[in-house]
């Protein structure tokens, strides 16, 4: 089991450029999440998905779009990158959203994005 | 929505000492409180969690306590070791809702 994988690991963008971050999980989890991590601000939820073909907004969704065309993949897109989007992005997945016995979130290794 | 505050933001201890990290939450409906450990260059990993019907939970050198009346919970690490050095996040969750994370604590264990 690879768990949760993310590509790329690092990326530098210029303001206005676009990119897509890919998250893949091999645990057959229904729920997937995208977070950003900034110093002193913990982990903030950008978007999440409760199943294939569904997405929902989290705490800080502006400037990002997501898609979940396949159960195992969750894509995060930046259409027009801004310096404020410089951050470390983490993808996570879980088996359940409501059953606490299966709620543990498994995180990927992260993508460090710099927007100049 | 839920708000979670975590203190301290940095904590430095000597090897063998105990470390305590505290979190407060705002919504009394929260019923699940996990703690995640993030080692350098890696994603967070669950180390222990507690539900609102339990006051304390232990797993070897780590323990978590919950005070529902005061709406705070704490992580206790005893006999700290250098490999305990990491960023620790607390979080809180209500039924059917998402996790809300604290700001994180950088723990450094000095040999």
């Amino acid at each position: 089991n690879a768990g949760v994988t993310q590509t790329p690991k690092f990326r530098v963008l210029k303001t206005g450029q676009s990119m897509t971050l890919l998250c893949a999980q091999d645990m057959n989890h229904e729920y997937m999440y995208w977070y950003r991590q900034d110093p002193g601000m913990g982990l903030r939820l950008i978007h999440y998905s409760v199943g294939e073909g569904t997405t929902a907004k989290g705490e800080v969704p502006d400037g990002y779009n997501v898609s979940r065309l396949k159960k195992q993949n969750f894509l995060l897109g930046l259409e027009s990158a801004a310096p404020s989007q410089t951050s470390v992005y983490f993808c996570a997945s879980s088996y359940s959203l409501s059953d606490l016995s299966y709620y543990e979130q498994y995180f990927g290794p992260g993508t460090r994005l710099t927007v100049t | 929505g839920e708000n979670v505050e975590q203190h301290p933001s940095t904590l430095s201890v000597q090897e063998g000492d105990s470390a305590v990290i505290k979190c407060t939450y705002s919504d009394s409906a929260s019923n699940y409180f996990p703690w995640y450990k993030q080692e350098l260059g890696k994603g967070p990993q669950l180390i222990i969690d507690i539900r609102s019907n339990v006051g304390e939970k232990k797993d070897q050198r780590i323990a978590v306590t919950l005070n529902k009346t005061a709406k705070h919970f704490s992580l206790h690490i005893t006999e700290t070791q250098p490999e305990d050095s990491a960023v620790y996040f607390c979080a809180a969750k209500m039924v059917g809702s998402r996790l809300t994370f604290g700001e994180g604590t950088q723990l450094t264990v000095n040999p």
Side-chain angles (χ1 to χ4, degrees):
Chain A
N1 270 357
V4 179
T5 58
Q6 293 182 233
T7 53
K9 288 184 168 42
F10 303 94
R11 185 71 186 268
V12 178
L13 286 179
K14 294 185 177 180
T15 298
Q17 288 184 321
S18 63
M19 77 163 294
T20 300
L21 282 68
L22 171 64
C23 175
Q25 52 94 4
D26 62 1
M27 296 173 283
N28 200 33
H29 285 169
E30 287 291 335
Y31 302 88
M32 297 187 73
Y33 316 83
W34 275 108
Y35 292 91
R36 60 177 289 174
Q37 183 179 22
D38 303 292
M41 302 188 76
L43 293 156
R44 293 183 293 168
L45 184 66
I46 304 171
H47 286 281
Y48 64 101
S49 169
V50 300
E52 181 178 319
T54 71
T55 62
K57 293 181 179 180
E59 184 183 356
V60 288
D62 294 343
Y64 305 95
N65 57 76
V66 288
S67 64
R68 183 111 180 259
L69 299 179
K70 293 183 179 181
K71 185 177 183 179
Q72 64 268 33
N73 295 337
F74 195 28
L75 278 64
L76 177 71
L78 286 73
E79 290 185 347
S80 180
S84 61
Q85 294 177 304
T86 294
S87 187
V88 181
Y89 292 86
F90 287 99
C91 176
S93 69
S94 68
Y95 182 77
S96 172
L97 188 64
S98 57
D99 186 341
L100 298 182
S101 299
Y102 300 100
Y103 187 71
E104 177 179 354
Q105 290 192 16
Y106 294 81
F107 284 81
T111 295
R112 184 172 293 276
L113 175 65
T114 302
V115 183
T116 61
Chain B
E2 175 66 276
N3 183 50
V4 177
E5 294 187 355
Q6 183 172 346
H7 300 281
S9 57
T10 60
L11 179 60
S12 182
V13 300
Q14 290 299 122
E15 183 176 358
D17 287 350
S18 295
V20 180
I21 304 170
K22 299 180 179 180
C23 290
T24 60
Y25 60 99
S26 61
D27 199 318
S28 57
S30 288
N31 65 344
Y32 175 66
F33 307 92
W35 286 89
Y36 283 79
K37 175 184 180 182
Q38 184 181 24
E39 296 177 345
L40 192 63
K42 297 183 178 180
Q45 185 174 12
L46 180 71
I47 55 171
I48 194 168
D49 56 16
I50 191 168
R51 305 186 191 190
S52 59
N53 60 347
V54 175
E56 183 176 2
K57 184 177 180 181
K58 289 184 180 180
D59 183 2
Q60 298 182 346
R61 296 187 296 108
I62 61 173
V64 57
T65 59
L66 172 65
N67 183 326
K68 287 192 298 182
T69 304
K71 290 190 284 188
H72 67 70
F73 55 112
S74 300
L75 177 71
H76 304 254
I77 305 174
T78 59
E79 301 174 14
T80 53
Q81 300 168 3
E83 52 264 39
D84 294 329
S85 295
V87 178
Y88 291 82
F89 292 98
C90 63
K93 178 186 178 325
M94 293 179 282
V95 174
S97 183
R98 60 177 179 84
L99 273 180
T100 299
F101 286 88
E103 301 92 342
T105 296
Q106 172 69 62
L107 172 65
T108 302
V109 180
N110 302 301

